[in-house]
Amino acid sequence: MILFDFQNGEISLNFQQKTNIFTWITKEDPHFNVVPRGTDDYSKFSVTMARQRLLGSILSRGGAQVLRNFQSFVQGTRLEYVSYSSPRNQMQAPPIVVMHDLNLSLESWRQVAVNLSHVGLRQVITVDARNHGLSPYITGHSPMHLAADVEALMSHQGLNKIVALGHGMGGRAMMTLALTQPQLVERVILVDITPAPVPSNFYLTRQVFEMMLQVAPNIPPNLSLSEGRTFILPLFQDVVHDASELRRIIYNLRKMQDNTFGWAVNPQAVLSSWGEMMINYEATLGGLRPYMGEVLLIAGAQSEFVTTTSIAVMQRYFPNTVVQILDAGHCVYEDQPEQFVELVVEFTQTCLVC
């Protein structure tokens, strides 16, 4: 956990051993003081999600599909997070909790989160999803697992409600949270994602993550991190042709303490839940009631994630959705940060539960 207090200029880290990882913060902002703190682990947290699924032919009767309620017990894990606040924030209003997309981390949201907390009235909390960044690398990476992690964070922070903001993978986690635990979500903001299938031309294919598993162990351990990235570049160039997308993959390579190489994402965990997260996400929502709260969908005009067809799918689960399309790609908040912040601030201007 890192706490950014813009009034006092302090950053507090709850994992002392990770202090060196955040030295870049003090390099960029020398006036901040870095204060290591002790470990603050979550206790084991179990969340019960009531869901409904189609049982199809197994329990079908006279051709009718039968819905059945059942409970799934998912253990939430401790997430690394950063909290941004400024004196103008209404601390009694539910904060905006942000979860990033696949293969990214909370660092990609830093500048937008700073601007949101300065311009808007809400505190902003960004998280590293499980199996990403500094959060634990563990088994289970379905949308339900990720939603349970957000609920565990809320319990740890004493939050009754949040504004759930998610990009791509993080958006599916927030959709699952809103549909299964609507009482915890004041509003939803989705960034270039719907419950519809992911576009077939999305650069993060199953093949990319399979390559990650195969490539890292074969990088010579005597290479530096920069040399290691150069070493793997030609391998991924044959699969990922866009320069910016290729850079996102290569920069996720890490040099481990034992001089081997690894990734800032857990490829094995991602692959284990590939179908639920990337291919058949809508199937995991079968029988769930629509979320009736306000939803803002911010899409990129240059992206194929949000189309007329996918918006129709979205409306089935989130009927009160407003769609805003910006001149951007899939990472809308990076391509159009000012317009993005303006839309989010306007959408969260009033507190529905204060």
Side-chain angles (χ1 to χ4, degrees), residues 64 78-79 82 84 123 133 165 198 211 233 246 251 260 296 337:
R78 183 198 67 241
L79 297 181
V82 182
Y84 301 83
Q123 178 191 11
L165 191 161
V198 171
M211 286 181 62
L233 183 60
L246 180 63
Y251 282 0
T260 62
L296 173 63

Side-chain angles (χ1 to χ4, degrees), residues 66-289:
V66 181
L67 293 177
R68 178 180 175 184
N69 290 328
F70 73 99
Q71 292 180 322
S72 296
F73 295 90
V74 177
Q75 179 176 293
T77 191
R78 183 198 67 241
L79 297 181
E80 192 73 16
Y81 67 93
V82 182
S83 179
Y84 301 83
S85 62
S86 67
R88 68 175 278 112
N89 294 159
Q90 295 179 352
M91 301 308 289
Q92 74 274 19
I96 301 171
V97 177
V98 181
M99 183 176 285
H100 57 81
D101 197 4
L102 187 64
N103 218 39
L104 293 173
S105 72
L106 58 78
E107 290 183 17
S108 66
W109 281 86
R110 181 177 182 235
Q111 193 56 57
V112 168
V114 169
N115 293 340
L116 276 175
S117 66
H118 274 214
V119 178
L121 301 177
R122 308 281 184 135
Q123 178 191 11
V124 180
I125 301 172
T126 59
V127 302
D128 272 341
R130 62 166 61 201
N131 297 308
H132 288 73
L134 299 180
S135 287
Y137 284 21
I138 55 178
T139 57
H141 197 79
S142 69
M144 189 183 295
H145 284 99
L146 272 61
D149 294 342
V150 176
E151 187 169 356
L153 176 73
M154 293 177 65
S155 177
H156 179 70
Q157 293 292 300
L159 301 173
N160 296 321
K161 282 184 181 289
I162 63 169
V163 175
L165 191 161
H167 174 222
M169 174 194 74
R172 294 200 155 165
M174 296 308 192
M175 281 189 270
T176 297
L177 180 67
L179 289 168
T180 57
Q181 302 285 352
Q183 75 281 2
L184 300 180
V185 180
E186 182 199 13
R187 290 180 172 96
V188 178
I189 302 172
L190 301 174
V191 185
D192 210 48
I193 193 70
T194 72
V198 171
S200 59
N201 64 348
F202 185 45
Y203 79 102
L204 285 178
T205 62
R206 187 181 183 92
Q207 181 184 3
V208 168
F209 286 95
E210 290 172 344
M211 286 181 62
M212 287 180 174
L213 284 176
Q214 298 166 5
V215 166
N218 294 307
I219 304 174
N222 61 306
L223 298 183
S224 66
L225 178 57
S226 61
E227 290 170 337
R229 287 171 173 167
T230 301
F231 180 85
I232 67 173
L233 183 60
L235 303 175
F236 285 95
Q237 277 179 325
D238 292 336
V239 179
V240 181
H241 304 294
D242 182 87
S244 62
E245 294 170 347
L246 180 63
R247 187 166 54 250
R248 291 183 193 278
I249 296 172
I250 300 303
Y251 282 0
N252 258 340
L253 187 70
R254 295 290 184 268
K255 183 84 170 180
M256 316 308 284
Q257 290 185 349
D258 61 358
N259 281 330
T260 62
F261 286 86
W263 299 95
V265 61
N266 183 350
Q268 186 61 64
V270 171
L271 287 170
S272 70
S273 298
W274 190 262
E276 291 177 89
M277 181 65 74
M278 304 296 288
I279 308 299
N280 299 313
Y281 172 69
E282 189 182 0
T284 70
L285 309 179
L288 291 174
R289 294 180 178 178

